[in-house]
Amino acid sequence: MRKGLLAIFAILLLWGCGNKKEQKTKTPIRVDTEIVGTENVDRLRQYVGTVEENEGTAVSFTGMGVVRQVLVDEGQAVRRGQLIAVMDDTQARNVLSGAEAQMAQANDALARYKMLYDNGSLPEVQWVEIRSKVAQAKSQLEVAKKNLADCRLTAPVNGIIGRKQISVGETALPSQSVVTILDINTVKVKVSVPETEMGRIHAHTPSIIKVEATGRTYQGGRIERGIQADALTHTYDIRINVVNHDRKLLPGMVANVQLAYGGNTGSGSQTLLLPVTAVQERSDGDLFVWTIDDSKTAHRTPVSIGSTVGNRVIITSGVSSGVRVVTEGYQKLSEGTKVVYD
């Protein structure tokens, strides 16, 4: 019995040594790394903004009537002159028929009385009266034609249908909006800025705009500054013009806005930057990066961060310039893991 126990113990001891030897010779994990360095970064401020249309045009009938057709849908692109809606034109056609009859009657009278006028048998006063009646009939006919044409509502500009205000069967009133046409080839991102920061912003302050709904980052253009502050928040609205040729940016989308107060003049301070993906978060919320020492061993190193600059983040503490940090392949790392990198 004793010999058997000794044999089992010897086997376990040999297995443990072999396992340790296997652990020591485990293949290092391949990772991508970056050596931390300083970069020239402008003074950045982050805000939350809302996308707005460049212009909105409310389109309405000029007269009152029952809407018979609405030929567009919300979000549909329309071109100038495209038919949008049709109003019941029965009354307008009847009025036009009456005006055409009066025009024909006036022209007939003009032709008959002209013969008398030319022969000198018609007083000048009566001739002027006949010609006036013809002019009145012509004016009424033009009005009737316009009223009939106004029963067809067309787009005055190119754009996107924003919202339909009236449906088929409803009565449209004069100047009541039927649809709104939005110009979104260029959009504006509205941002509320504290009054203490307004003096640093001008028409050409550089800006970067990220919109999660589109998954894209945009370069902001000219900035329009508001001149009236909100009485409660003491903020001013600014609007940043953004080119939107593919029409992916839609009114109401939320945007993350970065403004570079220092401009692109190289006047910013030297700052430590790392890719955003290099910074990880522990279960307790603390942030860290994987650093690599001279023996190619990975260590979890706590860091503090500042604002983001594009796809990079400012490191305020935890690592210094010259330290090698893992940027890709960190998923399989643990404390003390051996790594290889190019």
Side-chain angles (χ1 to χ4, degrees):
M1 182 69 177
R2 184 176 180 182
K3 291 182 179 180
L5 292 174
L6 290 173
I8 293 173
F9 178 76
I11 292 172
L12 290 175
L13 182 62
L14 290 173
W15 178 83
C17 293
N19 189 44
K20 288 182 181 179
K21 183 177 181 181
E22 180 181 354
Q23 288 179 349
K24 290 181 180 179
T25 60
K26 187 175 180 180
T27 303
I29 302 298
R30 176 164 291 278
V31 294
D32 293 336
T33 65
E34 178 179 316
I35 296 177
V36 180
T38 58
E39 300 181 30
N40 191 30
V41 178
D42 296 306
R43 289 168 292 174
L44 299 175
R45 292 293 185 275
Q46 295 194 26
Y47 306 91
V48 176
T50 305
V51 177
E52 295 181 341
E53 67 274 10
N54 183 39
E55 288 185 356
T57 303
V59 184
S60 60
F61 290 105
T62 58
M64 183 176 69
V66 177
V67 177
R68 192 172 65 190
Q69 289 180 293
V70 179
L71 304 174
V72 294
D73 296 316
E74 293 182 0
Q76 178 180 337
V78 295
R79 300 191 64 82
R80 182 177 180 180
Q82 182 175 334
L83 185 62
I84 292 176
V86 178
M87 183 188 292
D88 183 15
D89 60 1
T90 303
Q91 183 178 356
R93 290 187 179 278
N94 292 336
V95 173
L96 178 60
S97 296
E100 290 174 339
Q102 289 182 357
M103 187 75 253
Q105 183 180 9
N107 284 332
D108 180 67
L110 179 66
R112 288 186 289 105
Y113 281 106
K114 187 176 187 305
M115 296 176 60
L116 295 177
Y117 179 74
D118 291 341
N119 294 330
S121 302
L122 185 70
E124 183 70 25
V125 173
Q126 289 185 339
W127 176 242
V128 171
E129 183 179 350
I130 294 299
R131 293 180 62 185
S132 296
K133 289 182 179 180
V134 171
Q136 291 174 2
K138 183 178 180 180
S139 177
Q140 291 174 358
L141 178 61
E142 294 299 323
V143 171
K145 287 180 178 179
K146 185 179 184 304
N147 288 339
L148 179 60
D150 287 345
C151 292
R152 296 169 60 85
L153 187 63
T154 58
V157 295
N158 299 335
I160 301 292
I161 300 298
R163 180 175 297 179
K164 293 195 298 184
Q165 307 285 356
I166 294 180
S167 301
V168 174
E170 295 182 346
T171 299
L173 300 176
S175 301
Q176 179 184 4
S177 176
V178 177
V179 298
T180 302
I181 299 179
L182 308 178
D183 174 12
I184 60 171
N185 286 327
T186 299
V187 296
K188 297 179 180 180
V189 177
K190 185 178 77 170
V191 178
S192 295
V193 177
E195 61 181 12
T196 56
E197 300 176 10
M198 277 294 289
R200 305 175 184 177
I201 299 173
H202 53 77
H204 302 290
T205 296
S207 60
I208 298 175
I209 298 164
K210 299 179 182 178
V211 180
E212 294 294 337
T214 65
R216 292 180 54 187
T217 299
Y218 303 83
Q219 188 70 42
R222 185 174 59 86
I223 296 178
E224 302 171 10
R225 301 189 347 145
I227 59 173
Q228 187 172 357
D230 185 282
L232 296 177
T233 62
H234 297 284
T235 59
Y236 289 82
D237 287 340
I238 65 170
R239 286 174 169 83
I240 307 170
N241 288 270
V242 181
V243 176
N244 185 36
H245 291 322
D246 58 3
R247 296 178 175 177
K248 296 294 185 182
L249 292 173
L250 299 176
M253 288 183 173
V254 177
N256 295 316
V257 179
Q258 291 182 346
L259 294 177
Y261 289 163
N264 292 327
T265 61
S267 60
S269 59
Q270 293 293 319
T271 307
L272 296 178
L273 287 175
L274 281 176
V276 173
T277 55
V279 181
Q280 306 299 306
E281 184 176 1
R282 297 169 59 98
S283 59
D284 58 6
D286 290 341
L287 303 178
F288 68 93
V289 296
W290 289 103
T291 57
I292 307 300
D293 62 19
D294 294 338
S295 63
K296 295 187 176 181
T297 302
H299 301 284
R300 187 183 285 107
T301 304
V303 295
S304 298
I305 65 172
S307 60
T308 57
V309 183
N311 62 352
R312 300 174 71 79
V313 63
I314 296 175
I315 305 298
T316 58
S317 66
V319 294
S320 58
S321 180
V323 173
R324 186 177 294 274
V325 172
V326 177
T327 57
E328 296 290 343
Y330 46 77
Q331 293 86 350
K332 297 181 180 180
L333 296 181
S334 59
E335 183 66 29
T337 301
K338 293 291 185 179
V339 300
V340 292
Y341 49 84
D342 295 329

